[in-house]
Amino acid sequence: MKKIIFIIGVSGCGKSTIGKLLSEELNIPFFDGDDYHPKENIKKMSSGKPLNDDDRHGWLVTLNELAKKQLENGSCVIVCSALKQKYRDILNKGIENQTEWVHLSGSFYTIYNRINARKDHFMPSELLKSQFNALEEPKSAITIDVKLSPKEIIEKIKSELMELSEFGLLGLGVMGKSLCRNLANNGFKISMFNRHVEGVEENVAVDFKNEHQELSSANPFDKLQEFVNSIQKPRKIMLMVNAGKTVDIVIDDLLPHLSEGDILIDGGNSNYNKTKERFDYLKSKKIHFIGTGVSGGEEGALKGPSIMPSGDLEAYKKVQPFLETIAAKDENTLPCCTYIGPEGSGHFVKMVHNGIEYAEMQLLAEVFSILSATGKNPDEIADVLETWKNDADSYLLNITIDILRKKDSNDWLVNKILDKAGNKGTGNWATIATAQLGAPSTLIASALFARYTSFYKEDRVEANKNFSNENDLNLDISSKDLLNTYQFARIINHYQGFNLINQASNFYKWDLNLSEIARIWTGGCIIKSSLMVELVDVLKTTNSILSNEKIIKQINTIKPSANRVVSQCVLKEIPISCLSESLNFFNSYTTENSSANLIQAQRDYFGAHTYQRIDDDSDKFYHTNW
Amino acid sequence: MKKIIFIIGVSGCGKSTIGKLLSEELNIPFFDGDDYHPKENIKKMSSGKPLNDDDRHGWLVTLNELAKKQLENGSCVIVCSALKQKYRDILNKGIENQTEWVHLSGSFYTIYNRINARKDHFMPSELLKSQFNALEEPKSAITIDVKLSPKEIIEKIKSELMELSEFGLLGLGVMGKSLCRNLANNGFKISMFNRHVEGVEENVAVDFKNEHQELSSANPFDKLQEFVNSIQKPRKIMLMVNAGKTVDIVIDDLLPHLSEGDILIDGGNSNYNKTKERFDYLKSKKIHFIGTGVSGGEEGALKGPSIMPSGDLEAYKKVQPFLETIAAKDENTLPCCTYIGPEGSGHFVKMVHNGIEYAEMQLLAEVFSILSATGKNPDEIADVLETWKNDADSYLLNITIDILRKKDSNDWLVNKILDKAGNKGTGNWATIATAQLGAPSTLIASALFARYTSFYKEDRVEANKNFSNENDLNLDISSKDLLNTYQFARIINHYQGFNLINQASNFYKWDLNLSEIARIWTGGCIIKSSLMVELVDVLKTTNSILSNEKIIKQINTIKPSANRVVSQCVLKEIPISCLSESLNFFNSYTTENSSANLIQAQRDYFGAHTYQRIDDDSDKFYHTNW
């Protein structure tokens, strides 16, 4: 839309300088009003006499005509003091909807000192006072403090004039869309981008904007340069695209359009090692990079997810107001978003979050198997799980109850779903991290492998025919015993998950705060639970939740149930890798003298790998000629 | 050592050409004997008359004096027909130990045709016949067929003169040393290199040579260039250095000294991805690279290891005679060495070998825990294991028995060994591969994690105090039940290991032969066993040993024992992660309808990940608004 931008203000406020810069920045013509004074006016001013309103009238009409003429071709910048409303009314005449007013404002002394510092200006400084007397503050103008630097003034004018967005979001998938609505609902002015793929993804951003009332002031794009230009500098652009190569492609597409100091935020489930690489790469280009975990699924992203950002702290502070505002709130109304640490620590923490999630889901699946084996239908199983809410409340327990109750014609929907579980990489990476860091998160690994095994559907059907089974045994397991077993395994899972984060924190020198991480996992995310709320306090005093007295007491109470349930399931041949491993891990972890001495002996026997002795606590290594 | 190299043979055999090339190659002076004839001799020959022995006497004495004089400064090459022994005796006089004789030999027609093809030679070809009549074949000379190319002749002379080695071995650690002795014992002439590190590693190769009779003809080095130059081209150099960066450093140190077509063999436990990278890197430098697994520990390497080479098949064929000769032999006396496949497949297979080994060791450690819990001392446990040899014979079982019987003053040595088990990377990588390839080798992962958990010694001691335990329960497990449980778990471990290899073979398109791999694992390596011998045949007809009828029958027989043992150990709180996981994996693997349907429902609920339905076998994915 074509516009006349009038830059106004008293003499010496910097109108000409700013006007010229703005015309360059916007690539539109610049006109200095003073160049259009009739000779009589110039003569009068040169003789030191101020102009009166009659002197000005013809001049202002000339400028109004200039503006009208320019509008035939496009926009332009016109600078003119225009101190009184009636002057502005003349300038505005007939083009009221096509003018923008920028008032460069400062105190008398600020302006006075500026003018005295200038040379060769044709208006003597003693006339300044009369200008301030004449000045009627414009009401609908964009008012800008002249103390700002010219660069800042231009950015400010641009953002006000063009209604630049505060935040950009790239990638309108399930999560991206929900985050856009969340940002808009919280009053942020956003730009939204989705790529254009002929016949596949067309007008995604525009259509999405039109579907939702709250997006009425959001700017939709499918051209990357326009998207980037629509965002205030330093730009804050969140990428919500598929983890992997796509992130690198998008970054390289964005780079030519970005400016020094802009901030990219990767909100996908990227590998933490990749995040570190991208951080370093973008640093060399003077672009900040924030890798952030976002958990909560579609609904969480919309209503308030848990957010785990990492990277440069200074850059984080600039995106903090956005992320903290859209995040879920914990029980003390604090945002479920906290600066995690440097490099890829945010994505590492998100990866472990997902690992814990894998195991929590697998534990519920095993509980489902066991209760099914006792002859209960999904609704009856949901009834049992309802009674667990007091002790084991969690988001996953609740959605499991919903799922079990869902009907599909005359059966339960769950019975119709194919039992091949997918995975998207984070459980895999968490298992790899556990192997690489020497921190045994065995339940995450078990849960991952259980999904893999589920994928061998054809082999399973075949094997089921070949092998006899003991399914005819009676299974005698009380709800209380099963709940205890489930809770026991969950404690082990959470111990292992936080231990993995702690090991990574030590190894990479990230200095992570486990209690804060537990806190931002109490809301918004998939693994929020009453247990997680408990752990916020537990982790304030220890990095190992198994050393907490309350938890020790709880385990001592519930462990015998776990022993009974697991041993019965083994006899009954119900697959319970995760529940079973929770016991075995715990039994290893609490064994003072393990059988690893035999393994050390074997390694020394065939490979001369040496061993240490229990009766020599120096670091000496022994080798035996066996 | 200074030497005179006499190149002899009839006229036209190429003495001058070869002599000059050799002098250039060895950087020593060249003398053509014909240049030292007195004028009378030249005149006589020019007139077409052959020289008689009197004519030759003075000339030969001159050459003998030339040789003696040259020896004061160094070596040289002298060419001279020297057809009769008595001529050679004159040449040899007083320098008998410092001469080397190279006879360029060919048939009359070969030489005759050569001479007719030449121009401007001062001896007419019709005299050739008299030369052949005069020729007395020298006995101690290096005789070389003139039909070879000059380059080949030079290489041959060099290798004979300098006694070039057939094979080089770099890195004299435990495994490197054993392989050297093995190669030497098999009659191969080898060069051996170990780096020189002042005060730490000095004269390693020389000292090692002096310690062992069989190394009397081996060449020891601590200077890299000399080591490389001492090996026949194309050189075959086996690296036995620590896996990791050291391999790359050694390769870069070697490169300037290598020649096109040389072959490097990495016999360490390198990561298979790295082997692929190195293969590509060296290919660009026209050097062949063979990554090979070597299993057997110190003793195996000495007496015959199992060898798993991969890379370029043509290059492998050149090292095949060495590797197959030093390898262990299977029950049919075939070498336990086979070309595995392209790229890093050899190291992949070795990695899985080690993974299987990890689990086999852990299973024995768990058996040891269980038998200890029944109150048996190590000798009594060894007695039990002795009785298992009929059914479960293996290298690891045998060394475990040895270990358990070993005393240390008035206790068993095993009781004195600190229970913190180390690891060197391959178990770790196998677990990572299992995660990356979606092939659940859960027993390898369990065994790795058990080692990791053993490392938490201080935490374990502390936890042991905090948590109550059920160790006062009676454990009632028969030797037969335990043996069955152990065998059951071993079958699962082997199933998973071969399945992992099979998945990798499909994924990387390596086309691996599982039965051949089992066969080379029946001798020399750490996991050789009677079970492995059985699997050679089983894997000829299937990639999944769990689909073999005999194994199905065996499992149906022994599985109830495994159920009883594992469930009792769970109640008794004995940590048996690996045994327990073997059951749980199997129970998952044989479950027709698993609880993964619930996991798919959960994923769709919170992440809209969609699911498939059992009543729709198209590839359609469904999403429910839960």
Side-chain angles (χ1 to χ4, degrees):
Chain A
M1 197 185 133
K2 297 171 192 165
K3 275 185 180 174
I4 303 300
I5 304 162
F6 283 106
I7 316 263
I8 65 169
V10 297
S11 284
C13 69
K15 294 188 296 292
S16 299
T17 309
I18 296 303
K20 279 175 197 158
L21 284 175
L22 186 65
S23 86
E24 282 163 20
E25 180 79 18
L26 302 180
N27 203 19
I28 55 176
F30 166 77
F31 301 95
D32 191 333
D34 285 346
D35 295 344
Y36 292 78
H37 274 293
K39 284 178 190 160
E40 307 81 55
N41 286 3
I42 296 173
K43 215 170 184 180
K44 194 171 182 183
M45 288 187 283
S46 303
S47 68
K49 293 179 193 153
L51 301 178
N52 60 33
D53 288 357
D54 283 348
D55 298 331
R56 288 187 179 94
H57 186 79
W59 171 59
L60 293 169
V61 170
T62 306
L63 292 181
N64 173 255
E65 281 161 3
L66 171 68
K68 282 178 179 161
K69 195 174 168 214
Q70 284 301 316
L71 276 175
E72 289 169 17
N73 299 317
S75 302
C76 74
V77 174
I78 298 176
V79 307
C80 169
S81 48
L83 301 178
K84 296 187 183 170
Q85 189 56 43
K86 63 181 177 183
Y87 304 162
R88 299 189 288 263
D89 289 344
I90 298 169
L91 293 170
N92 226 357
K93 201 164 180 187
I95 50 173
E96 289 81 1
N97 292 326
Q98 287 173 278
T99 54
E100 290 281 353
W101 299 86
V102 177
H103 177 212
L104 300 180
S105 162
S107 72
F108 177 79
Y109 290 104
T110 303
I111 306 282
Y112 181 80
N113 288 334
R114 281 190 174 218
I115 291 179
N116 279 347
R118 283 194 201 176
K119 280 177 179 168
D120 308 326
H121 199 264
F122 75 94
M123 175 170 281
S125 61
E126 58 265 29
L127 293 185
L128 184 62
K129 202 142 209 175
S130 71
Q131 296 228 339
F132 269 87
N133 288 338
L135 175 65
E136 296 165 14
E137 291 274 349
K139 277 173 192 158
S140 63
I142 299 162
T143 299
I144 293 174
D145 188 342
V146 296
K147 278 191 190 146
L148 296 175
S149 72
K151 203 179 157 194
E152 288 170 318
I153 291 174
I154 295 300
E155 272 310 309
K156 219 160 164 181
I157 294 172
K158 265 176 67 191
S159 83
E160 299 268 358
L161 277 181
M162 305 169 67
E163 299 185 82
L164 287 186
S165 301
E166 299 167 283
F167 197 92
L169 202 140
L170 187 156
L172 300 177
V174 170
M175 292 292 281
K177 280 182 170 172
S178 291
L179 288 176
C180 282
R181 293 177 61 196
N182 187 337
L183 283 156
N185 278 327
N186 277 288
F188 293 116
K189 177 151 182 62
I190 60 170
S191 288
M192 315 183 294
F193 173 88
N194 198 82
R195 64 176 180 178
H196 173 91
V197 182
E198 202 78 27
V200 182
E201 289 176 55
E202 293 184 350
N203 303 318
V204 176
V206 171
D207 291 349
F208 173 51
K209 174 189 163 91
N210 292 335
E211 277 165 24
H212 298 283
Q213 177 59 35
E214 64 267 37
L215 296 174
S216 58
S217 67
N219 290 322
F221 296 92
D222 62 4
K223 292 198 178 62
L224 203 58
Q225 181 164 14
E226 290 177 7
F227 167 68
V228 172
N229 283 341
S230 75
I231 304 167
Q232 291 171 34
K233 291 182 196 170
R235 300 186 184 92
K236 296 145 198 94
I237 300 177
M238 189 159 189
L239 315 180
M240 294 302 298
V241 298
N242 284 336
K245 277 184 189 160
T246 311
V247 177
D248 295 310
I249 293 167
V250 166
I251 286 175
D252 281 332
D253 285 349
L254 276 169
L255 266 175
H257 308 302
L258 297 180
S259 308
E260 200 175 312
D262 284 353
I263 304 167
L264 296 186
I265 308 153
D266 176 12
N269 278 326
S270 290
N271 185 291
Y272 67 101
N273 293 307
K274 279 278 166 201
T275 299
K276 165 90 168 83
E277 283 172 24
R278 289 169 187 145
F279 178 89
D280 292 339
Y281 172 65
L282 285 168
K283 192 166 190 172
S284 76
K285 311 273 181 189
K286 305 202 169 157
I287 304 294
H288 297 290
F289 190 60
I290 306 256
T292 187
V294 178
S295 175
E298 187 174 3
E299 198 193 345
L302 178 62
K303 296 187 181 164
S306 174
I307 307 182
M308 302 148 237
S310 64
D312 193 41
L313 181 57
E314 287 311 305
Y316 170 67
K317 282 184 181 162
K318 291 186 177 138
V319 300
Q320 185 173 13
F322 300 92
L323 301 186
E324 291 198 350
T325 303
I326 64 169
K329 302 299 174 279
D330 71 10
E331 56 178 5
N332 301 311
T333 71
L334 292 172
C336 290
C337 171
T338 193
Y339 173 70
I340 299 289
E343 302 176 347
S345 56
H347 278 136
F348 187 93
V349 164
K350 174 63 180 354
M351 174 192 80
V352 177
H353 168 285
N354 286 23
I356 294 173
E357 174 188 309
Y358 269 57
E360 293 287 296
M361 289 164 74
Q362 177 62 24
L363 291 174
L364 282 163
E366 293 179 7
V367 163
F368 173 56
S369 288
I370 295 170
L371 288 170
S372 297
T374 64
K376 291 191 165 56
N377 69 35
D379 258 318
E380 290 164 342
I381 294 171
D383 291 342
V384 173
L385 298 189
E386 287 276 2
T387 68
W388 291 9
K389 281 192 185 175
N390 269 342
D391 296 293
D393 197 26
S394 76
Y395 172 76
L396 283 169
L397 182 75
N398 282 288
I399 72 167
T400 301
I401 293 169
D402 289 351
I403 288 166
L404 293 170
R405 296 212 186 282
K406 191 87 175 176
K407 301 290 187 303
D408 180 76
S409 60
N410 58 348
D411 195 358
W412 286 272
L413 178 54
V414 71
N415 291 344
K416 300 289 184 66
I417 294 180
L418 183 65
D419 54 333
K420 286 168 81 168
N423 77 90
K424 290 224 162 189
T426 44
N428 180 346
W429 296 335
T431 301
I432 291 171
T434 225
Q436 286 175 332
L437 292 167
S441 286
T442 60
L443 267 60
I444 293 176
S446 275
L448 176 73
F449 297 150
R451 290 196 187 182
Y452 286 166
T453 308
S454 79
F455 243 81
Y456 287 65
K457 175 79 181 179
E458 293 71 25
D459 289 12
R460 288 196 279 118
V461 172
E462 192 60 29
N464 183 261
K465 291 180 203 144
N466 289 331
F467 296 97
S468 51
N469 59 55
E470 307 276 342
N471 284 344
D472 50 339
L473 284 178
N474 279 326
L475 190 63
D476 176 25
I477 288 174
S478 73
S479 165
K480 182 73 187 163
D481 265 354
L482 189 53
L483 169 60
N484 283 346
T485 307
Y486 171 65
Q487 287 290 76
F488 173 82
R490 292 182 66 220
I491 291 171
I492 302 302
N493 181 31
H494 284 73
Y495 158 77
Q496 291 183 338
F498 282 105
N499 182 54
L500 178 55
I501 293 174
N502 191 43
Q503 296 268 86
S505 178
N506 294 335
F507 183 80
Y508 295 114
K509 301 193 172 53
W510 283 338
D511 195 25
L512 305 185
N513 183 333
L514 300 187
S515 171
E516 260 295 275
I517 291 168
R519 187 190 64 73
I520 64 169
W521 287 350
T522 60
C525 71
I526 308 294
I527 59 172
K528 64 185 177 184
S529 68
S530 54
L531 173 60
M532 195 65 79
V533 173
E534 261 186 67
L535 295 184
V536 177
D537 277 339
V538 170
L539 288 164
K540 277 180 183 155
T541 54
T542 178
N543 290 328
S544 163
I545 70 170
L546 290 182
S547 70
N548 173 272
E549 236 171 273
K550 206 180 140 203
I551 288 181
I552 291 172
K553 213 169 156 187
Q554 188 183 358
I555 285 185
N556 282 330
T557 309
I558 64 183
K559 176 86 186 328
S561 295
N563 293 349
R564 282 194 293 274
V565 169
V566 169
S567 66
Q568 274 210 62
C569 288
V570 165
L571 289 173
K572 173 93 179 162
E573 300 187 334
I574 300 168
I576 45 155
S577 283
C578 229
L579 287 170
S580 172
E581 173 53 26
S582 71
L583 270 189
N584 275 296
F585 170 80
F586 182 81
N587 290 339
S588 299
Y589 183 79
T590 55
T591 296
E592 187 172 0
N593 295 308
S594 77
S595 57
N597 56 348
L598 180 66
I599 288 173
Q600 284 301 81
Q602 290 168 329
R603 296 178 73 236
D604 189 56
Y605 190 115
F606 65 69
H609 289 299
T610 74
Y611 58 84
Q612 290 175 282
R613 287 176 62 103
I614 54 171
D615 50 9
D616 180 355
D617 57 8
S618 76
D619 280 339
K620 194 174 159 189
F621 284 84
Y622 292 83
H623 171 56
T624 292
N625 186 1
W626 298 88
Chain B
M1 196 186 135
K2 296 168 191 167
K3 278 187 177 173
I4 304 297
I5 304 162
F6 284 106
I7 315 264
I8 65 170
V10 298
S11 283
C13 69
K15 296 189 291 294
S16 300
T17 309
I18 296 301
K20 279 175 197 159
L21 283 174
L22 186 64
S23 87
E24 281 164 21
E25 179 81 18
L26 302 179
N27 202 21
I28 56 176
F30 165 78
F31 302 95
D32 191 332
D34 285 345
D35 296 341
Y36 292 79
H37 274 293
K39 283 179 190 156
E40 305 83 57
N41 286 4
I42 296 173
K43 219 172 181 176
K44 196 172 181 181
M45 289 189 283
S46 301
S47 69
K49 295 180 194 152
L51 300 180
N52 61 33
D53 287 358
D54 285 347
D55 298 331
R56 286 189 181 95
H57 186 80
W59 171 60
L60 292 167
V61 171
T62 306
L63 290 181
N64 175 253
E65 280 163 4
L66 170 70
K68 281 178 180 162
K69 197 174 163 212
Q70 283 301 318
L71 276 174
E72 289 169 16
N73 299 317
S75 303
C76 74
V77 175
I78 299 176
V79 309
C80 170
S81 47
L83 300 178
K84 296 188 182 171
Q85 187 57 42
K86 62 179 177 185
Y87 306 162
R88 298 191 287 265
D89 290 343
I90 300 170
L91 292 170
N92 226 357
K93 199 164 183 190
I95 51 171
E96 290 81 359
N97 292 323
Q98 289 173 274
T99 54
E100 291 282 356
W101 299 86
V102 176
H103 177 211
L104 300 182
S105 164
S107 71
F108 176 81
Y109 290 103
T110 304
I111 306 283
Y112 180 79
N113 289 334
R114 280 195 179 215
I115 290 178
N116 280 347
R118 281 195 205 174
K119 282 181 179 165
D120 307 327
H121 200 262
F122 74 92
M123 172 169 284
S125 59
E126 56 265 30
L127 294 185
L128 185 60
K129 202 145 210 171
S130 69
Q131 296 228 339
F132 268 87
N133 289 338
L135 176 64
E136 297 165 15
E137 291 273 351
K139 278 171 191 157
S140 62
I142 300 161
T143 300
I144 292 175
D145 187 342
V146 297
K147 278 191 190 145
L148 297 175
S149 72
K151 203 178 157 195
E152 288 169 321
I153 291 174
I154 295 299
E155 273 309 310
K156 219 162 165 182
I157 296 172
K158 266 176 65 191
S159 84
E160 299 269 357
L161 278 180
M162 304 170 67
E163 301 185 81
L164 287 187
S165 301
E166 300 167 281
F167 197 91
L169 201 140
L170 187 156
L172 299 177
V174 170
M175 292 293 282
K177 280 181 169 172
S178 292
L179 288 176
C180 282
R181 295 176 60 196
N182 187 339
L183 284 156
N185 279 326
N186 278 292
F188 292 115
K189 177 150 180 63
I190 60 169
S191 288
M192 315 183 293
F193 173 88
N194 198 83
R195 63 176 181 179
H196 173 89
V197 183
E198 201 78 27
V200 182
E201 289 176 55
E202 294 185 349
N203 303 317
V204 176
V206 171
D207 292 350
F208 173 52
K209 174 188 165 88
N210 293 333
E211 277 164 26
H212 299 281
Q213 179 60 36
E214 65 265 35
L215 296 174
S216 59
S217 66
N219 291 322
F221 297 92
D222 61 4
K223 291 197 179 61
L224 203 58
Q225 182 164 13
E226 291 178 5
F227 166 70
V228 173
N229 283 340
S230 75
I231 304 166
Q232 291 172 35
K233 293 181 195 170
R235 301 187 183 92
K236 296 141 197 98
I237 300 177
M238 187 158 188
L239 315 181
M240 293 302 295
V241 299
N242 285 334
K245 276 184 190 162
T246 311
V247 177
D248 295 309
I249 293 167
V250 165
I251 287 174
D252 281 332
D253 287 348
L254 276 169
L255 266 175
H257 309 301
L258 298 180
S259 308
E260 201 174 312
D262 284 353
I263 303 167
L264 296 186
I265 308 152
D266 176 12
N269 278 325
S270 291
N271 184 290
Y272 66 101
N273 294 308
K274 279 276 165 202
T275 299
K276 165 89 169 84
E277 284 173 24
R278 288 170 188 143
F279 177 89
D280 292 337
Y281 172 66
L282 285 167
K283 192 165 192 173
S284 76
K285 311 273 181 189
K286 304 199 170 158
I287 303 295
H288 298 290
F289 189 62
I290 307 255
T292 186
V294 178
S295 176
E298 189 175 3
E299 200 193 344
L302 178 61
K303 296 185 180 165
S306 173
I307 307 182
M308 302 147 236
S310 64
D312 194 40
L313 181 58
E314 286 311 304
Y316 170 68
K317 282 182 180 161
K318 294 188 174 135
V319 301
Q320 185 173 11
F322 301 91
L323 300 186
E324 291 198 350
T325 303
I326 64 169
K329 302 298 174 284
D330 71 10
E331 56 180 4
N332 300 313
T333 72
L334 293 171
C336 291
C337 171
T338 193
Y339 173 71
I340 298 289
E343 304 177 346
S345 56
H347 278 137
F348 187 93
V349 165
K350 175 64 179 0
M351 175 192 80
V352 177
H353 168 285
N354 286 23
I356 294 173
E357 175 188 311
Y358 268 57
E360 293 289 294
M361 290 165 74
Q362 177 63 22
L363 291 174
L364 282 163
E366 293 179 8
V367 163
F368 173 55
S369 287
I370 294 169
L371 289 170
S372 296
T374 64
K376 290 191 167 57
N377 69 35
D379 258 318
E380 291 164 343
I381 294 170
D383 292 342
V384 173
L385 299 188
E386 288 278 2
T387 68
W388 292 9
K389 280 191 186 176
N390 270 343
D391 297 293
D393 198 26
S394 76
Y395 173 76
L396 282 170
L397 183 74
N398 282 287
I399 73 166
T400 301
I401 292 168
D402 289 351
I403 288 165
L404 292 171
R405 296 212 187 281
K406 191 86 176 175
K407 299 293 186 304
D408 180 77
S409 62
N410 57 350
D411 197 357
W412 287 271
L413 178 52
V414 70
N415 290 344
K416 298 289 185 67
I417 294 180
L418 184 65
D419 53 331
K420 285 167 77 168
N423 77 90
K424 290 222 162 191
T426 43
N428 180 345
W429 296 335
T431 301
I432 290 171
T434 226
Q436 285 174 333
L437 292 167
S441 285
T442 61
L443 267 60
I444 294 176
S446 273
L448 176 74
F449 297 150
R451 290 196 186 182
Y452 286 165
T453 307
S454 79
F455 244 82
Y456 287 64
K457 177 79 180 175
E458 294 70 27
D459 288 13
R460 287 196 280 117
V461 172
E462 192 59 31
N464 184 261
K465 291 180 203 146
N466 289 331
F467 295 96
S468 50
N469 57 56
E470 307 277 342
N471 284 345
D472 51 339
L473 285 177
N474 280 325
L475 190 62
D476 178 24
I477 290 175
S478 73
S479 166
K480 183 74 187 161
D481 265 355
L482 189 53
L483 169 60
N484 284 345
T485 307
Y486 171 65
Q487 288 290 76
F488 172 82
R490 291 182 66 221
I491 292 170
I492 302 301
N493 183 31
H494 284 71
Y495 158 76
Q496 291 184 339
F498 282 104
N499 182 54
L500 178 55
I501 293 173
N502 191 44
Q503 296 268 88
S505 178
N506 294 338
F507 183 79
Y508 295 114
K509 301 193 173 51
W510 283 339
D511 196 24
L512 305 184
N513 181 331
L514 299 187
S515 171
E516 260 296 273
I517 292 168
R519 187 189 64 73
I520 65 168
W521 286 350
T522 60
C525 72
I526 307 295
I527 58 173
K528 64 185 177 185
S529 68
S530 54
L531 173 60
M532 196 65 80
V533 173
E534 262 186 69
L535 295 185
V536 177
D537 277 339
V538 170
L539 288 164
K540 276 178 184 155
T541 54
T542 177
N543 290 329
S544 164
I545 69 171
L546 290 182
S547 70
N548 173 272
E549 235 172 274
K550 205 179 138 204
I551 288 182
I552 290 171
K553 211 169 158 188
Q554 187 183 358
I555 284 185
N556 282 330
T557 310
I558 64 184
K559 176 86 191 319
S561 295
N563 293 347
R564 281 193 295 274
V565 169
V566 169
S567 67
Q568 274 209 60
C569 288
V570 165
L571 288 173
K572 175 89 177 165
E573 299 187 336
I574 300 169
I576 45 154
S577 283
C578 230
L579 287 170
S580 171
E581 173 53 25
S582 71
L583 271 190
N584 275 297
F585 171 79
F586 181 81
N587 289 338
S588 299
Y589 183 81
T590 55
T591 296
E592 186 172 359
N593 294 309
S594 77
S595 57
N597 56 349
L598 180 64
I599 288 174
Q600 285 301 79
Q602 290 168 329
R603 295 178 73 236
D604 188 57
Y605 190 114
F606 65 68
H609 290 298
T610 74
Y611 58 85
Q612 291 175 282
R613 287 177 63 104
I614 54 171
D615 50 10
D616 180 355
D617 56 8
S618 75
D619 282 338
K620 192 174 162 193
F621 285 84
Y622 292 82
H623 171 55
T624 292
N625 186 4
W626 299 88

